[in-house]
Amino acid sequence: MKYTVFEKSDIYEASWSGGTTKQLYIFPETADYKTKTFEFRISTATVDIEESDFTILSGVNRQIMSLDGEITLSHNGNVPIKLMPLEVHSFSGDAFTKSKGKCTDFNLMTTGSIKAEMASWSLSADTSANFIPQADIQKIFLYAFKGHANIGIDGENIKLRTGAFLAIDDVKSDEIKLCADIETIIATVYIYA
C-alpha cells in the first residue's frame, strides 16, 4: 500500500456563504471542482447559518455526513430527512437541496461510474479497531475530525492528528489497525475498483 498524510496545515480553507470549506482530496489531482472534471472529491465544511441551499451539481452523486450536529435536508421540496451525527445520506447533485441546522459536515462527490462509500469510526479513549479491506477496495481515505489515532498499515505506524487526512492507495487486503488514546472520530471514504 502507498499512503500520503496531509496535515491540517497542508489543507487549504476557503469561505463559502454559510461558513468555511476545505477540499481534502480531488481525483485526478489535475481536476477542477468548478468545471466538474473530477471523478471524485472529498471535502469538509462548517455550516454556521441555520438555513442554507446546496449548490446544484448536475451529473454529480453526493454523500454527506454531519460530524457533530443534527441537520435536516429536503430535496426538491420533498419530505425532510433528519440526519443525526455520523449518519450518511446519499442524493443526486441535480436536486434542489435545502439544509437546516448548524454542523461540520463531511462530503463525497462522485461522477460517472465511480463506486464509493462513506463511513466513520468513533473510538473511545484507549480503544482500538481492526479492519480488513474488501478485495475490491482500491483507495481508502481517513479524516481525523476529533482526537487523534495511530493507524497501523504494512507494519508502519502513522499518527493521524485532528484535522489531518490520510490517503491510502493500492489497497491490499492487509489489516488496518486504528488505536486511539483519547476520544476520536474518523470519517472514512472507500473507493472501489
Side-chain angles (χ1 to χ4, degrees):
M1 289 189 249
K2 297 185 296 187
Y3 67 87
T4 306
V5 177
F6 301 91
E7 297 294 346
K8 185 177 181 179
S9 58
D10 300 327
I11 300 168
Y12 175 73
E13 183 174 277
S15 295
W16 69 281
S17 60
T20 59
T21 183
K22 298 175 188 174
Q23 177 173 282
L24 301 173
Y25 198 87
I26 195 165
F27 183 85
E29 292 177 13
T30 55
D32 179 59
Y33 165 67
K34 290 181 181 174
T35 59
K36 293 183 283 189
T37 55
F38 58 88
E39 291 181 33
F40 65 88
R41 179 182 187 262
I42 303 167
S43 64
T44 184
T46 62
V47 181
D48 298 329
I49 57 177
E50 191 58 39
E51 293 190 22
S52 60
D53 294 333
F54 284 19
T55 302
I56 293 176
L57 299 168
S58 297
V60 176
N61 298 310
R62 302 189 64 175
Q63 294 182 45
I64 189 169
M65 173 195 310
S66 171
L67 296 172
D68 61 0
E70 295 176 19
I71 58 171
T72 300
L73 301 178
S74 62
H75 307 296
N76 298 323
N78 292 328
V79 176
I81 299 158
K82 188 173 187 178
L83 287 180
M84 303 301 287
L86 307 183
E87 287 183 341
V88 177
H89 176 61
S90 301
F91 61 102
S92 170
D94 292 298
F96 176 71
T97 301
K98 293 190 78 62
S99 175
K100 290 185 180 180
K102 298 179 182 180
C103 72
T104 302
D105 61 29
F106 186 65
N107 302 280
L108 171 63
M109 300 178 184
T110 59
T111 61
S113 60
I114 293 291
K115 184 180 169 193
E117 180 181 12
M118 184 187 286
S120 65
W121 295 89
S122 185
L123 302 171
S124 302
D126 300 316
T127 61
S128 63
N130 297 337
F131 171 70
I132 298 176
Q134 294 174 212
D136 59 344
I137 292 178
Q138 189 177 51
K139 301 175 187 293
I140 299 175
F141 301 94
L142 304 169
Y143 172 64
F145 170 67
K146 178 180 179 183
H148 55 262
N150 292 308
I151 314 294
I153 56 170
D154 281 350
E156 294 190 51
N157 190 35
I158 304 156
K159 185 77 161 185
L160 196 63
R161 296 173 182 82
T162 304
F165 184 74
L166 172 64
I168 305 171
D169 203 357
D170 295 331
V171 173
K172 303 195 173 33
S173 354
D174 298 333
E175 182 177 72
I176 297 173
K177 186 168 187 173
L178 294 84
C179 300
D181 53 8
I182 62 172
E183 187 179 347
T184 300
I185 294 174
I186 296 177
T188 309
V189 168
Y190 306 111
I191 303 292
Y192 293 87

